[in-house]
Amino acid sequence: MPDASRPSVLVCGAGAAGLTAAIFAAQNGAEITLLERTEKAGKKILMSGGTRCNVLPAQMKLNDYFTDSSVNRMKNIFKSWSLNACKQWFEDEIGLKLACETHSNKWFPVSNSAKEVRNLLLKKALESGVQVVYNAPVENLEPENGKWRVRTSNGKSFEANRVIISTGGYSIPTIGTDGMGHRFMKKAGHTIRPVYAALTPLLGTNKQHHALSGISLDVELSVYTGGKKTFTSERSGFLFTHRGYSGPAILDASHHYIKAKMNGKETPVFRVNWAGIERESWNQALINGKGNVISVLKEKLPARLCEMIIQKAGLEQRKTAELKKEERRDLLALLTEYELPISGDEGYRKAEVTGGGIPLEEINTKTLESLKLPGVYLCGEIIDVFGRIGGFNFYWAWVTGRLAGLGQR
Ligand SMILES: Cc1cc2nc3c(=O)[nH]c(=O)nc-3n(C[C@H](O)[C@H](O)[C@H](O)COP(=O)(O)OP(=O)(O)OC[C@H]3O[C@@H](n4cnc5c(N)ncnc54)[C@H](O)[C@@H]3O)c2cc1C
């Protein structure tokens, strides 16, 4: 039986942000019902980080995140919970032991088990008194007699003093995240900034590249828009796939291509410095190298990639000593500024997150209460913020989930 003397809170969506919000809201003494569209909580946590779950980054800067809203507003939200305090919460309150993968600067569970992360969060929510209702796809939110009425598409109806929206985004729509939350929030009166797939693999039509499928290496990737460099990745993983390109370097840059396409703008140019070695270092290696040109390349790059580059340069069987100045110049360009022929993207089907969404300008950044719908709070991917690969997106989900759960006014 609902206890009429306690404030009631409905949390819509039992993902990373919703579970965190429910835990914090319950600790405030409220009666919490967590409505989940599917039959399971935290499906994305389960599949995250290759099922290892990269819970947090080891360090973070504001430019690890992307938003079309005010960066200052985003900064205010991050100020509410430091990385360290968040990590401490996981270890002390949730009981999740974390280990830092030093080469990538990422925190993972010591168990390397995404299932442990999901299970411990759900356990904490249940122990805190949260009631979880599965198969409850929320489709409508409206005010009623000073409270909020939430209706699901299968005929259930709930009432509460306050509602937290944590329905995620559009990425991997087959597991229950297809923008349903965006649709009912638009109907309820919020602006939805145009959404787009982010952190998704890119496609390419070059058959020579497809033949390299499975080869991975660390690269430096730069994106040029209108001839100007608009993005450079840190040296990070690149993977040839049978349809194009993936790996953190590509995923982190993919939204530059997708947003340009969405806005009808000029397609940006993607240039790769294979191995991230400076042009002058390659130059010296070629000048001082003995034997075939390809042997110099093979010291630093995977053999099949070297063969492709040498073929493209027309330098098969050539010796370093025979290289003409122009040939060396063209080879250096292929090694350090190789243009990737991008022809499309994998979209939401493979995207890790959604760009765009509810603008920060429509949210009180101290509390995450909607400025349009008092008593409604927002958290997680539905807000117009996403981070690069590396635990940044979960950090956003935990920070915003906590703030929305606290329910300050
Ligand atoms: C393959 C993959 C790997 C990833 N790995 C990492 C990683 O290692 N580290 C990292 O930081 N980030 C990672 N991410 C990103 C991360 O998963 C998301 O940023 C994060 O899950 C967003 O949290 P959220 O709670 O906002 O949304 P979600 O976790 O997507 O949760 C939304 C929940 O709401 C439910 N829902 C949707 N609509 C409704 C509705 N109408 N009514 C009721 N419930 C609804 C959904 O079923 C879901 O349970 C990964 C993403 C993917 C796809």
Side-chain angles (χ1 to χ4, degrees):
M1 276 288 282
D3 178 352
S5 65
R6 286 167 69 199
S8 52
V9 180
L10 284 170
V11 183
C12 305
L19 284 165
T20 311
I23 292 167
F24 277 96
Q27 286 170 359
N28 252 354
E31 189 174 286
I32 316 296
T33 309
L34 175 52
L35 304 176
E36 167 53 42
R37 177 181 188 175
T38 70
E39 72 304 336
K40 220 186 248 177
K43 283 191 185 183
K44 252 181 212 161
I45 300 176
L46 293 175
M47 70 200 299
S48 66
T51 73
R52 290 173 65 210
C53 186
N54 174 196
V55 177
L56 285 170
Q59 277 149 15
M60 123 340 147
K61 303 179 288 320
L62 284 179
N63 63 7
D64 291 316
Y65 290 86
F66 306 92
T67 179
D68 286 319
S69 304
S70 140
V71 173
N72 253 336
R73 296 183 81 83
M74 177 176 84
K75 184 173 159 190
N76 282 343
I77 295 173
F78 277 119
K79 270 204 251 165
S80 70
W81 213 23
S82 71
L83 251 182
N84 208 31
C86 180
K87 177 183 162 268
Q88 218 57 49
W89 178 73
F90 268 103
E91 300 215 296
D92 300 346
E93 299 292 322
I94 302 301
L96 181 74
K97 293 286 160 264
L98 294 168
C100 189
E101 193 178 79
T102 44
H103 72 269
S104 64
N105 249 351
K106 298 172 180 175
W107 289 101
F108 287 93
V110 168
S111 63
N112 277 322
S113 162
K115 199 168 179 184
E116 187 194 14
V117 181
R118 194 285 308 263
N119 286 355
L120 286 176
L121 285 167
L122 185 58
K123 180 166 166 256
K124 182 73 178 177
L126 295 172
E127 281 172 2
S128 312
V130 174
Q131 198 207 339
V132 187
V133 181
Y134 293 102
N135 301 309
V138 175
E139 70 164 5
N140 197 45
L141 166 75
E142 45 189 24
E144 191 181 281
N145 304 327
K147 291 193 171 186
W148 286 97
R149 167 73 55 195
V150 164
R151 289 198 171 81
T152 68
S153 57
N154 51 7
K156 293 180 188 137
S157 170
F158 302 83
E159 181 195 75
N161 301 94
R162 145 172 132 77
V163 180
I164 297 173
I165 307 297
S166 47
T167 46
Y170 283 72
S171 67
I172 326 275
T174 45
I175 61 159
T177 39
D178 64 359
M180 193 172 180
H182 290 69
R183 291 189 287 279
F184 74 71
M185 288 307 282
K186 187 173 180 193
K187 206 163 74 178
H190 263 284
T191 308
I192 306 291
R193 205 159 254 150
V195 290
Y196 54 92
L199 309 186
T200 195
L202 296 175
L203 304 174
T205 47
N206 187 314
K207 292 215 167 62
Q208 270 185 311
H209 292 177
H210 297 175
L212 300 179
S213 169
I215 290 183
S216 69
L217 70 162
D218 279 351
V219 305
E220 240 170 57
L221 179 88
S222 300
V223 180
Y224 293 81
T225 311
K228 277 201 189 129
K229 201 190 272 192
T230 45
F231 174 83
T232 308
S233 73
E234 286 176 13
R235 196 163 177 269
S236 58
F238 175 100
L239 172 72
F240 285 97
T241 70
H242 64 287
R243 284 157 59 88
Y245 318 101
S246 189
I250 287 289
L251 300 181
D252 282 345
S254 59
H255 66 278
H256 291 276
Y257 171 83
I258 293 166
K259 271 184 92 174
K261 198 168 77 169
M262 177 175 89
N263 295 329
K265 296 237 170 88
E266 183 189 338
T267 307
V269 175
F270 281 57
R271 291 215 169 93
V272 181
N273 178 334
W274 307 110
I277 297 170
E278 294 216 351
R279 188 184 166 99
E280 190 44 35
S281 303
W282 273 122
N283 194 25
Q284 289 306 319
L286 288 166
I287 289 170
N288 301 322
K290 306 266 179 294
N292 282 342
V293 178
I294 196 163
S295 354
V296 175
L297 270 53
K298 279 183 180 169
E299 282 173 26
K300 315 272 185 206
L301 298 173
R304 278 163 59 211
L305 174 61
C306 297
E307 282 153 20
M308 191 272 284
I309 292 172
I310 286 290
Q311 203 187 0
K312 207 165 165 89
L315 296 174
E316 293 104 327
Q317 311 303 327
R318 293 287 298 281
K319 302 224 178 305
T320 47
E322 297 165 4
L323 277 188
K324 293 191 193 113
K325 205 172 160 194
E326 308 76 63
E327 287 174 326
R328 203 168 59 237
R329 183 200 58 208
D330 293 348
L331 178 60
L332 288 172
L334 288 172
L335 289 167
T336 60
E337 303 166 61
Y338 189 99
E339 188 173 329
L340 287 180
I342 309 290
S343 60
D345 63 271
E346 294 278 11
Y348 290 122
R349 200 172 66 86
K350 294 211 171 161
E352 292 209 1
V353 287
T354 307
I358 297 189
L360 290 172
E361 286 71 19
E362 294 186 1
I363 303 171
N364 175 336
T365 54
K366 290 228 168 336
T367 62
L368 298 193
E369 187 173 13
S370 159
L371 296 173
K372 298 250 169 183
L373 314 170
V376 175
Y377 293 69
L378 296 134
C379 54
E381 202 176 319
I382 194 166
I383 303 175
D384 171 27
V385 172
F386 73 91
R388 65 181 179 90
I389 295 281
F392 298 96
N393 287 298
F394 276 141
Y395 181 39
W396 175 252
W398 317 132
V399 169
T400 55
R402 170 183 172 274
L403 207 47
L406 289 175
Q408 291 148 351
R409 298 211 84 165

